[in-house]
Amino acid sequence: NITDAGGNFTATEVEGALAELAAGSTDDQNIESLGVDLGTNVLTVGIEDGTSQTVDLSHLDDAGTDDQTAAEVTYDNTTSGLTATDAQAAIDEVAAGSTDDQNIESLGVDLGTNVLTVGIEDGTSQTVDLSHLDDAGTDDQIASEVNITDAGGNFTATEVEGALAELAAGSTDDQNIESLGVDLGTNVLTVGIEDGTSQTVDLSHLDDAGTDDQIASEVNITDAGGNFTATEVEGALAELAAGSTDDQNIESLGVDLGTNVLTVGIEDGTSQTVDLSHLDDAGTDDQTASEVNIADAGGNFTATEVEGALAELAAGSTDDQNIESLGVDLGTNILTVGIEDGTSQTVDLSHLDDAGTDDQIASEVNITDAGGNFTA
């Protein structure tokens, strides 16, 4: 069985999902990434210009017990339009009616590393590390060892590996999803596919008005990055609250000499930029802070100029770090910024020293401190 968190399949097991993929795939897309979380055995498939999907493969790690054939796996044909009631018959129907002109060009497993390589026509090959499924001495079946009963005579192969290879070699795909629509009265989603029969999905159970009173501890999280020991929202928030510390360092300061844009990089945070190009205005730079605009790419301020941003910082700051020192070496025009409990950083301002044109010093640049945040 598969856990289809995205609701992409009507099938509940691998055989049926493969059948749906074969019937509904689109052409000239690349598989951008394949990865298996070794902790959960969840396979993540990223597709070009599409949304990544996950498949739970943990049921495959079942030591020595999974010897089913496709004909023994039941298939729910309620929404697929197929007549088949088991996976084998569903594959037969798909094979008989497939119209996909992409080929899987190659399938190969490196027996030394257990890495599967999938090559797709007009696309980029991808690899999947299957080594964690190598449970020595317990379940050493491969697709070529799983037999199929091909009642319809659609394959020359008698096992899954060969049947998949035949499907991959002979399928063509020129179908598009023609329409997607939800009936707001019934909450039924209708999916229309080119040259095929529309299918519906009842989403009404998702509209549980006034009855979803879950609390944070009842909402599970999928922590693919392994950032928490908790498995639910409440615990994750508690870990964040307990582990949060405000002693970040400014990791980098740099000015692009071509554009005069200052980039400030902060530890474990997103870099921000400030456009300093207006400061390089020979002999005419007598602006005040309220006249200096900022490019707030991160959306951290409502203000659009330095004066307002400083006021917001002063009013809303919750960081009890102080800038301990600011100094410019007049010989080299290097600005040194020292921050409390952090590492000092430097900025080379020498390119702003336009001899004979702008001889202002910091004490000559006025600010309009509307919020009364400074004595200067």
Side-chain angles (χ1 to χ4, degrees), residues 40 43 90 95 132 148-149 183 222 230 237 260 276 299 302 319 325 345 354 363:
T40 61
L43 167 67
H132 63 286
I148 60 174
T149 304
D183 186 315
T222 303
L237 291 174
N260 285 333
L276 302 179
T302 57
D319 184 353
S325 60
Q345 299 289 333
D354 193 357
S363 61

PDB file of all heavy atoms in Angstrom, residues 40 43 90 95 132 148-149 183 222 230 237 260 276 299 302 319 325 345 354 363:
ATOM      1  N   THR A  40      12.112   7.357   7.598  1.00  0.00           N
ATOM      2  CA  THR A  40      10.684   7.032   7.419  1.00  0.00           C
ATOM      3  C   THR A  40      10.410   6.163   6.206  1.00  0.00           C
ATOM      4  O   THR A  40       9.285   5.731   6.012  1.00  0.00           O
ATOM      5  CB  THR A  40       9.876   8.326   7.278  1.00  0.00           C
ATOM      6  OG1 THR A  40      10.338   9.035   6.117  1.00  0.00           O
ATOM      7  CG2 THR A  40      10.056   9.210   8.516  1.00  0.00           C
ATOM      8  N   LEU A  43       9.558   8.098  -0.068  1.00  0.00           N
ATOM      9  CA  LEU A  43      10.167   8.516  -1.318  1.00  0.00           C
ATOM     10  C   LEU A  43       9.549   9.838  -1.759  1.00  0.00           C
ATOM     11  O   LEU A  43       8.336   9.968  -1.819  1.00  0.00           O
ATOM     12  CB  LEU A  43       9.918   7.457  -2.407  1.00  0.00           C
ATOM     13  CG  LEU A  43      10.227   7.860  -3.854  1.00  0.00           C
ATOM     14  CD1 LEU A  43      11.725   8.075  -4.049  1.00  0.00           C
ATOM     15  CD2 LEU A  43       9.720   6.807  -4.836  1.00  0.00           C
ATOM     16  N   ALA A  90      -5.795  -4.507 -13.830  1.00  0.00           N
ATOM     17  CA  ALA A  90      -5.685  -3.070 -14.087  1.00  0.00           C
ATOM     18  C   ALA A  90      -4.498  -2.772 -14.977  1.00  0.00           C
ATOM     19  O   ALA A  90      -4.574  -1.956 -15.903  1.00  0.00           O
ATOM     20  CB  ALA A  90      -5.574  -2.309 -12.771  1.00  0.00           C
ATOM     21  N   ALA A  95      -2.176  -1.331 -20.188  1.00  0.00           N
ATOM     22  CA  ALA A  95      -1.265  -1.694 -21.279  1.00  0.00           C
ATOM     23  C   ALA A  95      -2.000  -1.701 -22.612  1.00  0.00           C
ATOM     24  O   ALA A  95      -1.447  -1.305 -23.645  1.00  0.00           O
ATOM     25  CB  ALA A  95      -0.649  -3.054 -21.003  1.00  0.00           C
ATOM     26  N   HIS A 132      18.904   1.098   1.864  1.00  0.00           N
ATOM     27  CA  HIS A 132      18.282   0.863   3.169  1.00  0.00           C
ATOM     28  C   HIS A 132      17.231  -0.244   3.110  1.00  0.00           C
ATOM     29  O   HIS A 132      16.784  -0.736   4.142  1.00  0.00           O
ATOM     30  CB  HIS A 132      17.636   2.154   3.675  1.00  0.00           C
ATOM     31  CG  HIS A 132      16.533   2.649   2.802  1.00  0.00           C
ATOM     32  ND1 HIS A 132      16.767   3.261   1.566  1.00  0.00           N
ATOM     33  CD2 HIS A 132      15.198   2.622   2.965  1.00  0.00           C
ATOM     34  CE1 HIS A 132      15.627   3.579   1.024  1.00  0.00           C
ATOM     35  NE2 HIS A 132      14.652   3.215   1.837  1.00  0.00           N
ATOM     36  N   ILE A 148       3.500 -12.359 -12.527  1.00  0.00           N
ATOM     37  CA  ILE A 148       2.173 -11.821 -12.821  1.00  0.00           C
ATOM     38  C   ILE A 148       1.389 -12.863 -13.614  1.00  0.00           C
ATOM     39  O   ILE A 148       1.954 -13.692 -14.331  1.00  0.00           O
ATOM     40  CB  ILE A 148       2.256 -10.502 -13.626  1.00  0.00           C
ATOM     41  CG1 ILE A 148       2.978 -10.724 -14.962  1.00  0.00           C
ATOM     42  CG2 ILE A 148       2.893  -9.395 -12.828  1.00  0.00           C
ATOM     43  CD1 ILE A 148       2.967  -9.507 -15.874  1.00  0.00           C
ATOM     44  N   THR A 149       0.068 -12.790 -13.461  1.00  0.00           N
ATOM     45  CA  THR A 149      -0.808 -13.642 -14.257  1.00  0.00           C
ATOM     46  C   THR A 149      -1.427 -12.770 -15.336  1.00  0.00           C
ATOM     47  O   THR A 149      -2.323 -11.981 -15.073  1.00  0.00           O
ATOM     48  CB  THR A 149      -1.913 -14.256 -13.380  1.00  0.00           C
ATOM     49  OG1 THR A 149      -1.310 -14.955 -12.305  1.00  0.00           O
ATOM     50  CG2 THR A 149      -2.787 -15.199 -14.201  1.00  0.00           C
ATOM     51  N   ASP A 183     -17.591  21.670  -7.576  1.00  0.00           N
ATOM     52  CA  ASP A 183     -18.974  22.078  -7.361  1.00  0.00           C
ATOM     53  C   ASP A 183     -19.100  22.584  -5.924  1.00  0.00           C
ATOM     54  O   ASP A 183     -18.982  21.811  -4.969  1.00  0.00           O
ATOM     55  CB  ASP A 183     -19.901  20.890  -7.603  1.00  0.00           C
ATOM     56  CG  ASP A 183     -21.370  21.280  -7.532  1.00  0.00           C
ATOM     57  OD1 ASP A 183     -21.745  22.015  -6.600  1.00  0.00           O
ATOM     58  OD2 ASP A 183     -22.150  20.824  -8.396  1.00  0.00           O
ATOM     59  N   THR A 222       5.377  16.446   9.589  1.00  0.00           N
ATOM     60  CA  THR A 222       6.354  15.604   8.897  1.00  0.00           C
ATOM     61  C   THR A 222       7.660  16.375   8.847  1.00  0.00           C
ATOM     62  O   THR A 222       7.810  17.299   8.057  1.00  0.00           O
ATOM     63  CB  THR A 222       5.889  15.279   7.466  1.00  0.00           C
ATOM     64  OG1 THR A 222       4.607  14.647   7.534  1.00  0.00           O
ATOM     65  CG2 THR A 222       6.885  14.364   6.767  1.00  0.00           C
ATOM     66  N   ALA A 230      10.056  16.275  18.585  1.00  0.00           N
ATOM     67  CA  ALA A 230       8.599  16.185  18.643  1.00  0.00           C
ATOM     68  C   ALA A 230       8.030  15.768  17.300  1.00  0.00           C
ATOM     69  O   ALA A 230       8.626  16.031  16.248  1.00  0.00           O
ATOM     70  CB  ALA A 230       7.995  17.530  19.066  1.00  0.00           C
ATOM     71  N   LEU A 237       6.762  23.592  18.705  1.00  0.00           N
ATOM     72  CA  LEU A 237       6.774  24.976  19.181  1.00  0.00           C
ATOM     73  C   LEU A 237       7.496  25.099  20.513  1.00  0.00           C
ATOM     74  O   LEU A 237       8.239  26.056  20.756  1.00  0.00           O
ATOM     75  CB  LEU A 237       5.335  25.495  19.321  1.00  0.00           C
ATOM     76  CG  LEU A 237       4.566  25.715  18.013  1.00  0.00           C
ATOM     77  CD1 LEU A 237       3.118  26.090  18.313  1.00  0.00           C
ATOM     78  CD2 LEU A 237       5.230  26.812  17.181  1.00  0.00           C
ATOM     79  N   ASN A 260      26.827  49.962  -5.767  1.00  0.00           N
ATOM     80  CA  ASN A 260      26.800  50.587  -4.429  1.00  0.00           C
ATOM     81  C   ASN A 260      25.667  50.041  -3.561  1.00  0.00           C
ATOM     82  O   ASN A 260      25.029  50.777  -2.821  1.00  0.00           O
ATOM     83  CB  ASN A 260      26.697  52.115  -4.541  1.00  0.00           C
ATOM     84  CG  ASN A 260      28.008  52.741  -4.957  1.00  0.00           C
ATOM     85  OD1 ASN A 260      29.082  52.188  -4.696  1.00  0.00           O
ATOM     86  ND2 ASN A 260      27.950  53.903  -5.612  1.00  0.00           N
ATOM     87  N   LEU A 276      23.113  52.121  -1.469  1.00  0.00           N
ATOM     88  CA  LEU A 276      23.900  53.275  -1.044  1.00  0.00           C
ATOM     89  C   LEU A 276      24.299  54.157  -2.222  1.00  0.00           C
ATOM     90  O   LEU A 276      25.093  55.090  -2.055  1.00  0.00           O
ATOM     91  CB  LEU A 276      25.167  52.793  -0.319  1.00  0.00           C
ATOM     92  CG  LEU A 276      24.962  51.890   0.917  1.00  0.00           C
ATOM     93  CD1 LEU A 276      26.322  51.492   1.490  1.00  0.00           C
ATOM     94  CD2 LEU A 276      24.134  52.595   1.979  1.00  0.00           C
ATOM     95  N   GLY A 299      10.773  42.582   3.528  1.00  0.00           N
ATOM     96  CA  GLY A 299       9.486  43.042   4.072  1.00  0.00           C
ATOM     97  C   GLY A 299       9.511  43.211   5.579  1.00  0.00           C
ATOM     98  O   GLY A 299       8.556  42.905   6.275  1.00  0.00           O
ATOM     99  N   THR A 302       7.500  48.776   7.558  1.00  0.00           N
ATOM    100  CA  THR A 302       6.435  49.445   6.809  1.00  0.00           C
ATOM    101  C   THR A 302       6.985  50.714   6.178  1.00  0.00           C
ATOM    102  O   THR A 302       6.497  51.159   5.147  1.00  0.00           O
ATOM    103  CB  THR A 302       5.250  49.781   7.729  1.00  0.00           C
ATOM    104  OG1 THR A 302       5.714  50.590   8.814  1.00  0.00           O
ATOM    105  CG2 THR A 302       4.632  48.511   8.285  1.00  0.00           C
ATOM    106  N   ASP A 319      15.865  42.813  20.894  1.00  0.00           N
ATOM    107  CA  ASP A 319      17.203  42.222  20.958  1.00  0.00           C
ATOM    108  C   ASP A 319      18.061  43.052  21.888  1.00  0.00           C
ATOM    109  O   ASP A 319      18.324  44.222  21.631  1.00  0.00           O
ATOM    110  CB  ASP A 319      17.820  42.199  19.551  1.00  0.00           C
ATOM    111  CG  ASP A 319      19.163  41.496  19.574  1.00  0.00           C
ATOM    112  OD1 ASP A 319      19.624  41.170  20.657  1.00  0.00           O
ATOM    113  OD2 ASP A 319      19.720  41.287  18.469  1.00  0.00           O
ATOM    114  N   SER A 325      30.566  49.386  19.014  1.00  0.00           N
ATOM    115  CA  SER A 325      31.478  50.386  18.466  1.00  0.00           C
ATOM    116  C   SER A 325      31.241  50.559  16.978  1.00  0.00           C
ATOM    117  O   SER A 325      30.819  49.655  16.279  1.00  0.00           O
ATOM    118  CB  SER A 325      32.937  49.961  18.694  1.00  0.00           C
ATOM    119  OG  SER A 325      33.195  48.717  18.061  1.00  0.00           O
ATOM    120  N   GLN A 345      32.486  43.289  12.169  1.00  0.00           N
ATOM    121  CA  GLN A 345      32.545  43.199  10.725  1.00  0.00           C
ATOM    122  C   GLN A 345      33.039  44.513  10.149  1.00  0.00           C
ATOM    123  O   GLN A 345      32.918  45.574  10.792  1.00  0.00           O
ATOM    124  CB  GLN A 345      31.175  42.878  10.136  1.00  0.00           C
ATOM    125  CG  GLN A 345      30.584  41.555  10.585  1.00  0.00           C
ATOM    126  CD  GLN A 345      31.326  40.378   9.993  1.00  0.00           C
ATOM    127  OE1 GLN A 345      31.913  40.505   8.916  1.00  0.00           O
ATOM    128  NE2 GLN A 345      31.324  39.252  10.686  1.00  0.00           N
ATOM    129  N   ASP A 354      35.161  60.375  -3.016  1.00  0.00           N
ATOM    130  CA  ASP A 354      35.273  61.018  -4.332  1.00  0.00           C
ATOM    131  C   ASP A 354      35.938  62.373  -4.128  1.00  0.00           C
ATOM    132  O   ASP A 354      35.285  63.389  -3.859  1.00  0.00           O
ATOM    133  CB  ASP A 354      33.875  61.156  -4.938  1.00  0.00           C
ATOM    134  CG  ASP A 354      33.948  61.521  -6.401  1.00  0.00           C
ATOM    135  OD1 ASP A 354      35.042  61.713  -6.913  1.00  0.00           O
ATOM    136  OD2 ASP A 354      32.854  61.608  -7.014  1.00  0.00           O
ATOM    137  N   SER A 363      29.078  63.781  10.972  1.00  0.00           N
ATOM    138  CA  SER A 363      28.425  64.780  11.827  1.00  0.00           C
ATOM    139  C   SER A 363      27.671  65.822  11.016  1.00  0.00           C
ATOM    140  O   SER A 363      26.906  66.614  11.549  1.00  0.00           O
ATOM    141  CB  SER A 363      29.466  65.464  12.714  1.00  0.00           C
ATOM    142  OG  SER A 363      30.425  66.128  11.913  1.00  0.00           O
TER     143      SER A 363
END
